[in-house]
Amino acid sequence: MSIKNVEIPYGAYWSTPFTKWQGSLQHLHSMKFAAHVAKAELAKRHIDPLIFDSGVLGMTVNQYQSFNGAPWPLYDIGAVNTAGHAVNQVCATSARGLFAAASEIVCGMANVSLLITADRCSNGPHIYYPNAKGPAGASEDQVTYNMMNDCVGGHSMMQTGENVAKRFDITREELDLVTFRRYEQYQDALKDDQAFQKRYMTLPLSVPTANFKKEETVITGDEGVFPTTLEGLQKLKPIQEGGVITYGNQTHPADGNASAILCRSEDVASLTARPEIRIEVLGFGQARDDLAYMPAAPIEAAKRALAVAGIDIKQVSAIKTHNPFAVNDVALAKAMGIDVMTMNNYGCSLIWGHPQGPTGMRAIIELIEELVIKGGGYGLFTGCAAGDTGMAVVIKVSDRSL
């Protein structure tokens, strides 16, 4: 059965621009920065933070004193008596966080919940694990080491992309064409003075200093998007000899945050910018593929989410993916019989980067706005995560009066 009575009020969501590794946001504590942004965005919408009776923090990279999880940023925004918890499923953290917030509403634990997703790949922590029986211990750079060394198989994430490319007979030519198409689609979000992005993003964005007492700089959009031509992509050498993945057809690590409000249908009126628009959360799916086949996991996750929502892929009007590799999109399209060139309108993580936790949330926000522009319909978000897992979400945008 599909989920009932869980909505996202129109306009009750936001995202910062995503900035490149060691870029303009690299000095900011990700939880504090997410709260700083959320407080301003709520004030702009005249939403009292005391309305939240639950909160979820989606974050994957440890930050100083992040032990408490969600209660810290909730307190900082003014939700001083709001309980909440933290979730972490690496790249699928946003979908998992959305599921957590929706689940609390479905089972009556909450009426209005705030999902905050935040991460900073820059300056990731170096963690030391003591040995209780001797002086030696183990350590890791949490971000970079885990990207390069799977805890089970020891392989890199890039290797999972190569494995899936072989499974689906994906060629280098296909990947370059899809990557260039994704860059073209992102350009549509920049038209008319970034009109699409300004539907959900405050631009220009004032970036505070690390102590949040004054302005450090101002950014006018995503930082790290690389100018792309098909000819330039074709000139790049594969990272792995004999492989198909290059530095051009995969994403880059980034920093940023994105948030959304979820609530019961009866609570939408006081939170929405456009009461006539209904945004329903209808279903979720999760899956795990074989060891070292991470980019294939979103396929089964998408099928399961569609089944929960009670619809077929042919009924879906817009698809967004978390695509750390162009391989993800080509494999999904081949497996589900869809046109790979029509997915990911207005942008995706392949182009604007991947800060882990908030990546999927921004994609879902853009999915909502695309459906609103189309006049409604079903939307599918699906993406992979470390551990060869994937999660998917189905939403529906419609006219409330119909």
Side-chain angles (χ1 to χ4, degrees):
M1 293 179 62
S2 61
I3 294 171
K4 304 294 184 183
N5 199 35
V6 177
E7 296 189 27
I8 300 173
Y10 180 76
Y13 40 75
W14 54 88
S15 173
T16 67
F18 285 179
T19 64
K20 62 185 178 181
W21 179 284
Q22 302 304 126
S24 295
L25 303 181
Q26 58 100 4
H27 63 290
L28 292 168
H29 187 292
S30 58
M31 290 170 69
K32 291 182 180 181
F33 183 44
H36 173 85
V37 171
K39 189 173 183 179
E41 295 291 345
L42 291 171
K44 187 166 67 175
R45 292 163 176 76
H46 306 290
I47 295 175
D48 186 344
L50 294 176
I51 197 172
F52 302 120
D53 43 22
S54 180
V56 178
L57 170 67
M59 192 176 80
T60 75
V61 182
N62 290 339
Q63 299 285 272
Y64 180 70
Q65 279 205 307
S66 58
F67 187 83
N68 281 12
W72 184 4
L74 288 169
Y75 191 94
D76 279 357
I77 69 170
V80 296
N81 296 119
T82 301
H85 67 284
V87 296
N88 173 0
Q89 197 181 334
V90 201
C91 320
T93 294
S94 287
R96 179 65 64 183
L98 201 70
F99 174 76
S103 297
E104 290 187 356
I105 294 169
V106 168
C107 69
M109 287 180 61
N111 298 328
V112 183
S113 181
L114 175 63
L115 169 61
I116 299 172
T117 63
D119 259 322
R120 182 183 72 178
C121 289
S122 298
N123 302 313
H126 181 81
I127 304 173
Y128 173 72
Y129 303 94
N131 179 359
K133 295 185 178 182
S139 64
E140 65 176 357
D141 289 303
Q142 188 185 22
V143 178
T144 55
Y145 185 81
N146 286 289
M147 288 181 177
M148 298 301 296
N149 298 274
D150 182 84
C151 56
V152 178
H155 52 269
S156 68
M157 291 188 178
M158 187 195 68
Q159 184 60 57
T160 72
E162 293 288 359
N163 293 346
V164 171
K166 290 179 181 178
R167 176 187 284 181
F168 287 91
D169 296 319
I170 297 170
T171 66
R172 166 71 184 275
E173 290 71 26
E174 288 178 286
L175 298 183
D176 288 343
L177 286 169
V178 168
T179 300
F180 182 61
R181 172 60 180 156
R182 297 294 176 259
Y183 181 75
E184 287 183 323
Q185 290 166 303
Y186 177 77
Q187 301 312 302
D188 290 336
L190 305 182
K191 291 179 179 177
D192 302 319
D193 191 29
Q194 297 167 276
F196 180 81
Q197 292 180 345
K198 287 180 178 178
R199 296 170 76 97
Y200 65 89
M201 186 185 291
T202 296
L203 294 172
L205 180 70
S206 174
V207 178
T209 55
N211 62 6
F212 296 89
K213 293 188 180 297
K214 59 182 182 179
E215 184 176 89
E216 173 85 10
T217 188
V218 174
I219 55 177
T220 58
D222 296 313
E223 183 182 274
V225 177
F226 198 85
T228 302
T229 65
L230 183 57
E231 294 77 14
L233 289 168
Q234 291 169 339
K235 290 178 182 178
L236 296 174
K237 294 182 178 180
I239 299 171
Q240 185 179 100
E241 187 175 352
V244 294
I245 295 175
T246 69
Y247 286 114
N249 60 38
Q250 65 175 299
T251 191
H252 59 275
D255 305 333
N257 59 73
S259 299
I261 295 172
L262 286 80
C263 67
R264 303 178 304 170
S265 298
E266 50 264 47
D267 296 307
V268 169
S270 63
L271 299 167
T272 182
R274 293 180 61 181
E276 75 277 13
I277 297 176
R278 176 189 284 121
I279 306 164
E280 299 172 274
V281 180
L282 296 184
F284 295 89
Q286 63 178 346
R288 186 173 186 177
D289 211 288
D290 297 334
L291 180 65
Y293 282 85
M294 180 181 72
I299 298 167
E300 183 61 28
K303 292 177 180 178
R304 294 178 184 182
L306 292 168
V308 171
I311 63 169
D312 184 83
I313 188 65
K314 295 179 181 178
Q315 295 173 261
V316 174
S317 300
I319 299 172
K320 297 282 271 193
T321 65
H322 163 48
N323 43 10
F325 307 103
V327 167
N328 289 58
D329 286 358
V330 180
L332 180 71
K334 288 188 174 185
M336 302 195 73
I338 52 182
D339 184 354
V340 70
M341 297 302 186
T342 62
M343 299 156 48
N344 283 312
N345 292 314
Y346 301 104
C348 57
S349 56
L350 181 66
I351 302 302
W352 35 247
H354 180 29
Q356 303 290 331
T359 303
M361 191 69 255
R362 175 171 171 175
I364 292 167
I365 289 170
E366 290 191 352
L367 178 62
I368 290 169
E369 291 293 354
E370 180 181 354
L371 289 169
V372 170
I373 291 171
K374 287 176 177 288
Y378 291 102
L380 169 68
F381 165 78
T382 189
C384 65
D388 303 299
T389 64
M391 280 203 73
V393 183
V394 175
I395 62 171
K396 181 183 180 182
V397 173
S398 61
D399 188 329
R400 194 177 298 277
S401 64
L402 298 178

